Amino acid sequence: MADVGSVDVELELIRRATARFPDAVVRDELDNNLLDELPTIQIQVVGGGDDGIRLDRPLVDIDVYHSSRAAAIELAAEVRAWVLVELRGSVSESAVIGRTGTVSRPAARPYENIQLRRVGATYEIYCHPVS
């Protein structure tokens, strides 16, 4: 039996998003040169729970940074469809992703640099290690 929480959800989603969104930089932490790396998709676990046995239920913030509000909203909508449709029921070498859902739908979020725009959402990802 695998340890609870043995799926590194950030790494799993970053790998999958990098393949799915080849024109974007996908990462967990932002770089100081963010303006040179647009669009950027930032994926971070912000909490969640588990069943104490095998099933993890992390909450994941996904922020999109882009040069305009419209472009950020469009990419955030593509990311949302990816999470809710493509990730649901998918399997990789290391993880099974079961149910996915939106906790907080994509919305503009403040950011200090007025030369770019940020749109973010929070998702719930049910997953467990591949047996």
Side-chain angles (χ1 to χ4, degrees), residues 77-115:
E78 291 176 30
V79 168
R80 183 174 187 225
W82 171 68
V83 170
L84 297 179
V85 178
E86 295 177 41
L87 283 182
R88 183 177 290 160
S90 65
V91 180
S92 72
E93 291 181 6
S94 57
V96 175
I97 295 180
R99 182 175 158 229
T100 61
T102 304
V103 174
S104 177
R105 65 185 302 121
R109 292 181 175 175
Y111 195 70
E112 298 83 26
N113 188 334
I114 60 170
Q115 294 180 319

Side-chain angles (χ1 to χ4, degrees), residues 17-34:
T18 298
R20 174 61 177 78
F21 302 99
D23 294 333
V25 175
V26 182
R27 60 183 346 137
D28 54 357
E29 294 185 354
L30 298 178
D31 191 271
N32 290 334
N33 298 319
L34 186 56

